[in-house]
Amino acid sequence: MQLIMLGAPGAGKGTQAKKIAEKYNIPHISTGDIFRANIKNGTELGKKAKTYMDQGLLVPDELVVDLVADRLQQEDAKAGYVLDGFPRTIPQAESLDAALAKMGTKIDYAIDVEVPDENIINRMSGRRACVKCGATYHLEYAKPKADGVCDMCGESLILRDDDQPETVKKRLGVYHDQTQPLIDYYSGQNVLKEVDGTKDMNEVFADIVAILGE
Ligand code: ADP
Ligand code: AMP
């Protein structure tokens, strides 16, 4: 099963991608997580990516496309994957299609998690993230067991720099300009599925399972 998660920043792509990965036993590939791991490890890629991420801008396509193409060649991605945060531009989607065509395969579904802009700022200001293992929480809707501590690995949780309200507004603008056109792109390929992301996260997941099958 080869899946793409679409949706605004904070729509719940990562939340749903993790549940999908667990249920269907496929890797969750998040380009945001890959960049954050690179930033944490002080790599050249991380340094370059950080300058864009901190401003709420997209990292240039050329820094993302090969990285994902390589990741999809790895053994654990043979049986499928759920891509979260990639593609984010039409050129990225076209390069992904070209890379998949070379591998003799294609995307099964692009799942668009729909949440209006009004709800996004609240979602993002309450998000808390673990930079060590990538787990995500929400102060109101998905609380960790102990305040400020990751349930999975015990690391301290943070408010991501790019989740500050001013940066979120910028990211929403970038989403509408550069990423939203992918909805038509995948609709044109007859693989687009839309779910209502304003529902409770378990209900959203049930709607996704209804699309993908048990
Ligand atoms: P994305 O990966 O699309 O940026 P996340 O999955 O990190 O978004 O979700 C953003 C924030 O909203 C997180 O704090 C998450 O716990 C919370 N969240 C996700 N889905 C829902 C939902 N259906 N209802 C309420 N909060 C949600
Ligand atoms: P995310 O964790 O998906 O919210 O991504 C956080 C940030 O990483 C984004 O705001 C971008 O700056 C950068 N990023 C992640 N994925 C991509 C991508 N496919 N293309 C460009 N930038 C990306």
Side-chain angles (χ1 to χ4, degrees):
M1 190 185 299
Q2 308 189 143
L3 308 174
I4 291 173
M5 303 303 294
L6 294 177
K13 300 181 297 295
T15 301
Q16 298 302 328
K18 288 188 182 92
K19 286 172 172 285
I20 293 170
E22 193 181 346
K23 179 171 173 70
Y24 297 98
N25 203 18
I26 51 177
H28 165 211
I29 302 176
S30 155
T31 42
D33 284 351
I34 295 172
F35 288 136
R36 282 184 288 276
N38 274 273
I39 292 172
K40 193 163 177 253
N41 295 330
T43 69
E44 276 311 306
L45 175 65
K47 281 178 200 152
K48 281 187 197 156
K50 188 174 186 328
T51 60
Y52 298 94
M53 290 167 74
D54 283 352
Q55 297 177 70
L57 299 173
L58 295 183
V59 174
D61 291 338
E62 58 273 23
L63 294 183
V64 192
V65 165
D66 291 346
L67 183 144
V68 174
D70 287 349
R71 179 65 187 86
L72 297 185
Q73 310 263 11
Q74 287 175 22
E75 197 54 38
D76 67 335
K78 292 260 162 16
Y81 44 80
V82 51
L83 278 172
D84 162 18
F86 182 94
R88 257 181 161 103
T89 64
I90 295 281
Q92 288 182 18
E94 288 170 347
S95 336
L96 175 64
D97 280 349
L100 292 180
K102 266 194 205 157
M103 293 161 70
T105 167
K106 64 179 188 50
I107 290 299
D108 296 312
Y109 294 112
I111 300 170
D112 179 30
V113 184
E114 291 183 306
V115 175
D117 287 8
E118 305 87 85
N119 304 24
I120 293 289
I121 302 278
N122 171 38
R123 285 268 179 105
M124 303 296 252
S125 57
R127 172 157 70 180
R128 292 295 178 274
C130 175
V131 271
K132 190 167 174 201
C133 74
T136 304
Y137 303 86
H138 193 282
L139 293 181
E140 206 176 328
Y141 311 117
K143 293 183 184 172
K145 292 194 181 93
D147 279 354
V149 180
C150 180
D151 293 353
M152 308 290 177
C153 70
E155 184 82 7
S156 298
L157 300 177
I158 58 146
L159 172 68
R160 277 167 45 179
D161 288 344
D162 60 348
D163 282 351
Q164 306 285 350
E166 279 316 304
T167 315
V168 171
K169 282 184 201 151
K170 182 86 166 284
R171 291 170 67 198
L172 272 176
V174 168
Y175 167 75
H176 290 301
D177 285 351
Q178 301 194 54
T179 307
Q180 211 169 14
L182 293 179
I183 293 176
D184 284 344
Y185 183 90
Y186 287 109
S187 172
Q189 293 190 0
N190 289 321
V191 293
L192 183 75
K193 299 283 173 187
E194 295 179 314
V195 292
D196 177 357
T198 63
K199 293 184 185 175
D200 169 273
M201 45 188 91
N202 292 322
E203 289 176 46
V204 180
F205 186 56
D207 291 347
I208 292 175
V209 170
I211 293 165
L212 302 179
E214 274 298 338

